[in-house]
Amino acid sequence: MMRDDDWLQAAFDALPARSRRMIEDRADGKTLGSIGQEHEVSRERVRQLLLKAQKHLCAFADAFVGDWRDRLTTLTERSAVPQSEVAAVLSVRDQVGLGPLVEAVGAEHPLTWAGPLRGWWTRSPDALEMLLRRGVEEAPLRGEDVAVTFAAAGVPDEVPLLDLLGHPKSPLVPGFEGTWLRRRARGRDAAYLFLLANGEPCRAEELLAPTGIRRKPAVAEALRRDERFVQLRLEGKWALAEWPHLNVTPYPNAMEALVAVLTELGPLPKDALFVKVGERYPVTPWRLHQCLLDDRVGITEDGLIELVARGATPIEETEPARPASMAVDPAGNVFGVRLTVDKDIIRGSGVVVSSWLTWRLGMRQAPMVRTFSIAGHPTPIVLKRATSAAQISSLRVLVKENGMVGGCEFVLFLRTDDSTARIEHACARHTCPAVSEPSLLLHRAE
């Protein structure tokens, strides 16, 4: 007896083998011409066979789900719908035979700058790219802001956003520490985000590494032409025009200015403290909130900000939202962090991660450091909690030893009971970017 969710599979299996192969080829993005060459028939003959197969599948759908056209028509009004959701609406298993049914109601793959988005459907093919470009308009973006920004622009959550952003035709390019920059303004965007994260003015030479600009004069010239930046003439440092009270101060950074205010004035309400620091040092409230996590600063019983050295209780970070890329076992002993091999990992840069990880590990102030040993490696993995971010030390050697290349996915496991770590290659073999490099696959198999 056929199960309720098997009718589509039965309909697909009843097709001639050649028709089934052609449907699979079309789902993989092959053209009618290339399919015809493979089967030694004309392009028009391929079109006829596909249309015949579609009518066959639609007849089965009419028999088992009478209102399937109405269901799919309503569903595909959205900008992008994953095929798995199409299957759920029809109460069938997700398989390649769904494609002809969705096309029968006028749906297509959504268009993006990377081309058609396979595995997704819509009756408004241009809508998704419009939403993506709306998100791009908010660039430059910090890594932690990407998902929120594009969600606010209306991009569906499950769309492979990072894959689209990393495409050669994307209007954005990856920058330092997970940031995304406009392709035609990458240097200036990188300088903006670096200054924003740093929270204080910097000299041009300090901006060479994050911007990728090789010469100090070129940095100065680029920033001079951008109204987002101003130069503090007396000391030559660069700052953001949005920072209030841009003046020369004796403090090397925001944290020292905050400590100086507390040292001189004693305990203060948070808002009053921020005002006093802002009068002495050009800094954003966002940066000052980060400074409150420093181990020199605490809170009194009556809620005032004071120095820990004078009896205040250190301020601990509240629990951040857990990102989908992180998990912990029920016993709270093994943490998993899913990552993708990108340019920063390949060149040996540290990996910026959500502070949820450090919070769950008890690292709720800054600066704090924890190390995890790797079997067979003299150098451990170092997890740091600074005031501005959490960061894992370079994973380049481990990635290389596991046969991974750019685009590969892997999971970093951290054990808390014995402070050890390991990584596992997480790519599906048929989609792994290392498949094209046989020597790497051999290494992985060993």
Side-chain angles (χ1 to χ4, degrees), residues 70 77 93 134 142 219 228 237 264 350 380 401 420:
D70 292 338
E77 288 177 356
R93 300 177 187 180
R134 188 181 301 169
R142 297 175 298 177
V219 170
R228 292 176 295 175
K237 291 184 176 182
E264 295 176 23
E401 288 182 354
T420 59

Side-chain angles (χ1 to χ4, degrees), residues 256-268 273 280 305-307 310:
E256 297 305 323
L258 187 145
V259 169
V261 169
L262 290 175
T263 300
E264 295 176 23
L265 302 181
L268 291 170
L273 173 64
R280 303 188 184 196
I305 308 300
E306 174 61 300
L307 297 175
R310 295 202 292 226

Side-chain angles (χ1 to χ4, degrees), residues 16 23 96 101 110-111 128 175 202 211 216 225 239-240 243 254 280 283-285 289 350 359 389 394 406 424 427 446:
I23 291 174
V96 71
L101 293 180
L111 299 178
L128 179 59
C202 293
T211 61
K216 175 181 171 181
R225 293 183 286 107
L240 297 181
W243 286 344
R280 303 188 184 196
V283 67
T284 61
H289 276 285
W359 191 93
S394 174
E424 284 190 8
C427 288
E446 295 172 347

Side-chain angles (χ1 to χ4, degrees), residues 243-259:
W243 286 344
H245 310 299
L246 287 172
N247 58 345
V248 179
T249 76
Y251 307 107
N253 55 54
M255 190 63 226
E256 297 305 323
L258 187 145
V259 169

Side-chain angles (χ1 to χ4, degrees), residues 24 53 68 81 176 179 188 191 196 201 315 327 340 357 384 440 446:
E24 291 168 349
W68 67 273
V81 180
F176 69 99
T179 58
R188 287 175 287 138
L196 188 65
I315 300 172
T340 301
L357 177 62
K384 297 181 179 179
L440 292 177
E446 295 172 347

